[in-house]
Every structure is written in structure tokens, then in C-alpha cells.
Amino acid sequence: MGKIKAEGIGEVQEAIDICDYAVGLSRCLNGSIIPSERPDHFMMERWNPLKKHVGIITAFNFPCAVLFWNAAISLVAGNTQIWKGARLAR
């Protein structure tokens, strides 16, 4: 099982694009303070890592792209990953 060269290049470009998206997303995870309609109250948004592993199982037909769709955003949020590639992906 394999891909033709053009598809492989496209999949690597997809991984690069998703990493670019995740880097941009990392600048938005700063924790907002939102005013409340109640006097002397506010709402605060905080991003906390899951403090556990994020499991990623990839299919044989898009092993690189599926990994990066999940891993890039998980890394930005401060999580670790466990990756299980498909048996047929080589």
C-alpha cells in the first residue's frame, strides 16, 4: 500500500498547513475576561491541558494528515499524544 508522489506531497503540505493554523490558534488561547451582567462579577475563560495523553489512531490512507490534524492542536493546548498508526501504513 502506498501513495503516488503527488498525493504524498499533498499530505505533507496538509500537515504544514495545520501546524500553521495551530500556531495561530495558540495566540488566541490567552484566557479572556468577560464582563458579567451581575454587578461585581466577571467571567474568566481558562485553557487547561487535559493532564492526560490524547490517543490518536490514524487510518492507512491518510497517516500523516490525520496525525497532524490532532497532534498539532493537542500540543498547542499543552497535551501529550500517543499515536497508533494503522498496521497497513508503511
Side-chain angles (χ1 to χ4, degrees):
M1 305 252 30
K3 290 183 175 250
I4 62 172
K5 185 177 179 181
E7 286 182 357
I9 291 170
E11 189 169 342
V12 171
Q13 185 60 51
E14 176 83 21
I16 293 167
D17 292 343
I18 206 69
C19 287
D20 187 39
Y21 170 75
V23 168
L25 183 66
S26 71
R27 296 184 184 112
C28 300
L29 301 177
N30 56 2
S32 303
I33 297 176
I34 306 161
S36 173
E37 67 254 0
R38 296 174 58 193
D40 300 324
H41 287 82
F42 66 93
M43 296 178 285
M44 188 168 70
E45 180 180 70
R46 270 180 84 179
W47 294 89
N48 295 317
L50 294 174
K51 297 182 182 171
K52 295 182 180 175
H53 300 296
V54 174
I56 302 169
I57 301 173
T58 59
F60 74 94
N61 54 348
F62 289 102
C64 180
V66 173
L67 171 65
F68 278 90
W69 290 339
N70 295 285
I73 295 174
S74 177
L75 280 171
V76 164
N79 297 305
T80 58
Q81 297 84 36
I82 298 175
W83 176 41
K84 166 84 169 73
R87 200 171 38 91
L88 299 173
R90 294 175 194 224

